[in-house]
Amino acid sequence: MKISSLLLLLVLLTSACSRNQSGALVVAADVTAPKETSVSMLALEHSLSLEVEEEQLAIVFERGLAACREAVSDSCHVLESRIHSGRMHSGILKFRAQPAGIKKIINALSKESKVAAQSTTAEDLAAPIADGAKRLAMLKDYRTQLETLRGRANNDVDALIKLSHELAQVQSELEAVEGTQTRLKQRVDTEILNVTLDTSTTSVFWKPITSALADFGGNLSQGVSSAISGVAYLLPWVVLILSGVWGGRKLWRRSKTRRND
C-alpha cells in the first residue's frame, strides 16, 4: 500500500511538471511576492510629557480620554490609563490611532498644560512586511498545489492521509503569517502616543515642607526602630569584646605576678 501511494505521488508530480509549458500546475513553482510600492513602512511612536497643575490633573486626564473618544473615526483606542493621587499626583495615558487622531489628542492636551518634552521614534518595517508577503504567496501556492493533488489521489487512503496532514500544517503556518502581517500593517497604519502628566514641577513652595511634616512621625518611628535593631545586633558583640578584654587583662596580671615571684 505504501509503495503504491508513493508511486502515485511521483506520477502526479511528474505529470504536473511535464505540463509546465502548457500552463498547468507546477509543484515547485518560483513564487514571487507582489512588488512593494514606495509607500513608507515606518511605525511611529510619540512621547509627550506635560506639566500640569495639581488641581487640573484630573481635568487634563479626562480631556485626553475624551479626545480619543471623539477621534473614533481615526481608529483611536486607549491602550493604558493610570492616575496617581498620592503624595505626588501624576497620570499616564497611552493611545493608538491614525495620524490625524494622534494630532487631535496632542492639541487637546496641550491647551490645558505645558509641554515639557516631546519626541518621536520610528521603526522601519518594510523588510519584515516584504518577507511576510513573499512567505504568504509561497504558502498559498503550495496549498493550492496540495489541494489539486488531493483531488487526484482517488481512493489511495495512504496518500490522502499524507496530503491532508500536509495541508493542515500549511494552513496553520498560513494563518500565523497572516496574523503577523496584520499586526505589522496595523503598526504602520496607526501611531502610538505615550503621555506623561507630571505635577512635581508645578507644586507650590510649601508643598514639600508640609509633606515632610506629615511624614515626621513615621520617619521618627522608623529611625527609632532602626536604632533599636542596631543595638540588638551590636549588644552580643559588645559583651563578647568586653569579656575578651577582661579575660586578657586577668591572664596578663597572673603572668606578671608569677614573673615577679
Side-chain angles (χ1 to χ4, degrees):
M1 188 66 178
K2 292 182 179 180
I3 296 176
S4 62
S5 62
L6 291 176
L7 290 174
L8 174 62
L9 288 174
L10 289 174
V11 171
L12 290 174
L13 292 175
T14 304
S15 62
C17 292
S18 63
R19 294 166 59 187
N20 183 21
Q21 299 298 327
S22 61
L25 177 66
V26 180
V27 176
D30 183 13
V31 180
T32 58
K35 293 183 179 180
E36 296 290 338
T37 63
S38 59
V39 178
S40 174
M41 292 293 177
L42 296 178
L44 300 180
E45 184 166 351
H46 310 278
S47 295
L48 182 66
S49 180
L50 302 175
E51 296 178 359
V52 185
E53 296 289 340
E54 188 173 307
E55 297 78 9
Q56 296 292 320
L57 177 62
I59 298 176
V60 176
F61 186 85
E62 182 56 35
R63 179 155 297 183
L65 296 177
C68 183
R69 290 193 295 268
E70 293 173 0
V72 62
S73 60
D74 297 311
S75 305
C76 184
H77 297 281
V78 179
L79 303 181
E80 182 180 3
S81 63
R82 288 186 291 165
I83 187 168
H84 303 279
S85 57
R87 181 187 305 172
M88 298 303 297
H89 294 62
S90 63
I92 294 177
L93 291 167
K94 186 174 183 179
F95 306 96
R96 172 187 282 124
Q98 295 176 359
I102 295 296
K103 291 181 180 179
K104 293 176 183 178
I105 296 173
I106 293 176
N107 292 334
L109 291 172
S110 301
K111 291 179 181 179
E112 298 294 334
S113 54
K114 178 183 178 181
V115 177
Q118 186 173 1
S119 62
T120 299
T121 59
E123 181 181 2
D124 191 358
L125 299 179
I129 290 177
D131 292 341
K134 291 178 182 178
R135 183 160 178 79
L136 273 177
M138 292 176 64
L139 288 172
K140 288 180 179 178
D141 182 77
Y142 186 39
R143 182 182 61 182
T144 301
Q145 296 173 21
L146 289 175
E147 290 174 346
T148 302
L149 289 176
R150 185 174 62 176
R152 297 177 182 177
N154 297 327
N155 297 325
D156 193 330
V157 178
D158 192 26
L160 286 173
I161 292 175
K162 292 179 179 179
L163 288 171
S164 297
H165 176 74
E166 186 68 15
L167 271 171
Q169 185 174 354
V170 170
Q171 183 63 31
S172 177
E173 294 180 7
L174 186 61
E175 292 175 357
V177 175
E178 287 177 342
T180 301
Q181 286 292 95
T182 300
R183 290 190 292 270
L184 290 176
K185 290 181 179 179
Q186 183 187 45
R187 292 182 59 190
V188 172
D189 296 336
T190 60
E191 300 177 1
I192 299 292
L193 174 62
N194 299 290
V195 182
T196 302
L197 306 177
D198 187 18
T199 62
S200 59
T201 56
T202 60
S203 301
V204 296
F205 174 79
W206 295 104
K207 181 69 175 179
I209 300 176
T210 55
S211 298
L213 291 175
D215 294 337
F216 179 81
N219 292 334
L220 179 61
S221 63
Q222 185 68 30
V224 172
S225 64
S226 298
I228 294 174
S229 299
V231 171
Y233 281 112
L234 291 175
L235 187 58
W237 291 99
V238 172
V239 173
L240 182 61
I241 293 172
L242 292 178
S243 299
V245 172
W246 179 79
R249 287 177 61 86
K250 190 173 182 180
L251 291 174
W252 179 75
R253 287 178 179 178
R254 284 184 180 181
S255 63
K256 185 178 181 180
T257 302
R258 287 177 182 177
R259 287 197 303 268
N260 293 335
D261 293 341

